[in-house]
Amino acid sequence: MCHMNTGEVSATKSAGVVGVVGAGAMGSGIAQVAAQAGHEVYLVDAIAGAARAARERLAGTLAGLAAKGKLSAADADAAAARIHAVDAVADLPACEIVVEAIRELFADKVDLFTALAATQPANTIFATNTSSLDITEIAEQVAHPERERVAGMHFFNPAAIMKLVEVVAARQSDPKVLDRITALARAWGKTPVRCTSTPGFIVNRVARPYYGEGQRIVEGGYANAATVDWALKHLAGFRMGPMELTDLIGHDVNYAVGESVWKQTGKDPRYEPTLIQRTLVDNGDLGRKTGKGFFTYDADGKPTDAVVDEDLARRLVGGPIETDPVNRTLAMLVNEAVDLVARGEASAEDVDIAMQLGTNYPKGPIQWGHEIGFERVHTWLRTLDAAYPGGRYRPSPALLDGTVR
Ligand SMILES: NC(=O)c1ccc[n+]([C@@H]2O[C@H](COP(=O)([O-])OP(=O)(O)OC[C@H]3O[C@@H](n4cnc5c(N)ncnc54)[C@H](O)[C@@H]3O)[C@@H](O)[C@H]2O)c1
């Protein structure tokens, strides 16, 4: 008899209703993830019919997954049946959380949360999937106390596949809201990391030098794009080199993220975009999608002019830091990661998880710092700072003060 009340009933509590505003690339993926996790999901979009069209597409995606044996036909049907489309934000039912994935415009996000505050219950979470806007500034524009339930839930593209979710704290965010978003991300099969709302959050901030240093080696004429890519892949274990990767992402997109972080940090030279990439953007050489970026691509999307000089790469790596594509890049990645941790913007563990899951790095930058030695990284940066003065290579004081030991 004493076994009857186990207290486990609460674990079977059904999943709450999820609202997703913006039925584009990200919103659709987020809706799919939430529906597969058992939530009733309501999609809404500013364009008439877009939410309904997204729901149809998602039913097809789920059926496709079932056809490939990734989930049962019954589960696919049930998940598809849990996705609903409504015509207006005011038509959303009471939600546990509303995730917005509308266009990246500050005023639109503020207007949306203001409208939601008027129609949703007091404990509904307002999560933004913004990549580049300051969530503290968004929350500031939302009426008190509604702003305490605004926080970031930053997915990566494609949202249905990428495991990482950055749970981003605005200054006003209620810690309970952050805990609830973290728990939801986990329940949705994601790996959440926590950070504060600073430019680029973790991934888009720490990744900057991966592109910037490779481009500067090419710009300096020390090695061509294919050779730098080869060195980072074959001598450091990165899945893609910075040049082929930015050709894939699109230089317009990659440049815009870099420029946004640079501007939001008051044009800190650490994040200054390169002239070589600016020129690609200005010339419309946006990468694979236009047939030309750092490389020229044939009709099958294969580069036709990627000539690797392996001997040169082997000579440069381990040589003077100014011309070493691998260690120069790693030094800057470690520096950035250590600074983030020292400022209390994220934990060392979360930075490493984020970079491995968000950008596929073979190791986290903090782990690299441990392996290389933080003092050695500091020495490399001082050499680079002397060679290229101006502040880009200033070493974080935290490299030497034991912050990440
Ligand atoms: N694409 C990515 O790689 C990526 C990754 C992470 C985060 N994000 C962020 O996610 C958000 C959406 O990006 P996306 O790539 O899905 O864009 P998208 O253009 O594919 O989709 C945006 C959708 O929102 C709708 N919309 C725009 N304004 C609206 C409004 N005021 N109310 C309702 N619906 C509105 C549009 O009609 C469109 O369907 C942005 O904030 C972006 O920064 C994008």
Side-chain angles (χ1 to χ4, degrees):
M1 259 174 45
C2 59
H3 294 294
M4 287 190 64
N5 187 2
T6 61
E8 281 171 18
V9 227
S10 59
T12 63
K13 194 173 82 125
S14 64
V17 173
V18 172
V20 177
V21 188
M26 296 305 290
S28 299
I30 295 164
Q32 181 189 335
V33 168
Q36 284 190 253
H39 296 265
E40 295 294 327
V41 179
Y42 288 79
L43 257 176
V44 57
D45 196 282
I47 296 175
R52 217 155 286 127
R55 191 190 61 190
E56 298 311 316
R57 271 197 313 276
L58 285 171
T61 303
L62 288 159
L65 289 174
K68 282 195 218 140
K70 301 249 164 109
L71 74 169
S72 73
D75 285 350
D77 285 351
R82 282 193 289 269
I83 301 173
H84 316 275
V86 294
D87 292 327
V89 167
D91 297 337
L92 287 173
C95 294
E96 177 181 3
I97 184 170
V98 178
V99 186
E100 75 75 18
I102 65 173
R103 62 183 171 167
E104 192 73 331
L105 273 185
F106 180 79
D108 284 25
K109 312 243 182 202
V110 171
D111 287 350
L112 172 63
F113 287 150
T114 304
L116 287 168
T119 53
Q120 288 290 317
N123 61 350
T124 303
I125 294 170
F126 298 159
T128 170
N129 185 46
T130 181
S131 293
S132 65
L133 300 172
D134 182 1
I135 302 171
T136 294
E137 280 178 25
I138 295 175
E140 198 58 37
Q141 298 302 314
V142 177
H144 184 75
E146 310 296 350
R147 62 180 65 147
E148 289 165 25
R149 49 173 156 154
V150 173
M153 188 174 195
H154 186 226
F155 289 82
F156 288 74
N157 193 13
I161 292 170
M162 296 292 282
K163 287 285 175 212
L164 186 68
V165 171
E166 290 175 329
V167 179
V168 187
R171 244 193 329 265
Q172 306 87 341
S173 304
D174 180 339
K176 285 198 233 50
V177 165
L178 300 169
D179 289 345
R180 283 170 63 200
I181 296 178
T182 304
L184 274 175
R186 257 194 210 109
W188 295 0
K190 301 296 180 190
T191 304
V193 292
R194 303 275 282 251
C195 60
T196 58
S197 182
T198 53
F201 310 140
I202 301 175
V203 171
N204 282 333
R205 171 75 159 268
V206 177
R208 297 316 339 134
Y210 189 64
Y211 314 113
E213 290 311 304
Q215 289 167 16
R216 280 169 172 80
I217 295 273
V218 174
E219 214 167 45
Y222 305 130
N224 69 17
T227 302
V228 173
D229 278 356
W230 185 89
L232 283 150
K233 284 189 289 184
H234 295 272
L235 305 178
F238 287 93
R239 187 127 357 135
M240 289 183 87
M243 264 57 73
E244 58 181 338
L245 180 55
T246 47
D247 269 7
L248 177 66
I249 293 168
H251 290 287
D252 48 345
V253 174
N254 185 258
Y255 186 89
V257 177
E259 191 183 39
S260 157
V261 170
W262 180 52
K263 287 190 171 159
Q264 286 186 71
T265 55
K267 300 199 171 171
D268 185 331
R270 272 218 193 135
Y271 314 104
E272 188 171 358
T274 59
L275 191 58
I276 198 171
Q277 194 179 33
R278 170 82 253 171
T279 307
L280 288 175
V281 174
D282 286 349
N283 292 344
D285 294 332
L286 304 181
R288 274 203 217 177
K289 63 185 169 188
T290 60
K292 191 172 183 319
F294 282 111
F295 304 108
T296 306
Y297 295 86
D298 65 17
D300 299 326
K302 294 247 165 3
T304 58
D305 51 0
V307 182
V308 177
D309 185 339
E310 285 185 30
D311 290 340
L312 174 65
R314 289 187 203 282
R315 278 200 307 279
L316 293 179
V317 176
I321 193 69
E322 298 92 318
T323 57
D324 178 338
V326 167
N327 289 321
R328 185 168 153 172
T329 301
L330 292 182
M332 286 292 275
L333 288 174
V334 173
N335 200 36
E336 200 56 46
V338 164
D339 241 3
L340 212 78
V341 175
R343 285 193 301 259
E345 292 164 5
S347 72
E349 295 73 22
D350 278 359
V351 170
D352 275 4
I353 291 169
M355 299 318 289
Q356 288 172 90
L357 294 183
T359 52
N360 266 327
Y361 287 0
K363 280 178 204 167
I366 300 290
Q367 188 190 342
W368 252 312
H370 281 292
E371 289 179 14
I372 296 167
F374 293 104
E375 282 175 23
R376 192 155 170 227
V377 170
H378 191 268
T379 306
W380 281 341
L381 289 164
R382 280 186 38 215
T383 306
L384 287 166
D385 191 34
Y388 313 103
R392 177 176 175 84
Y393 297 97
R394 67 184 188 280
S396 167
L399 285 167
L400 299 183
D401 71 6
T403 298
V404 287
R405 266 156 235 185

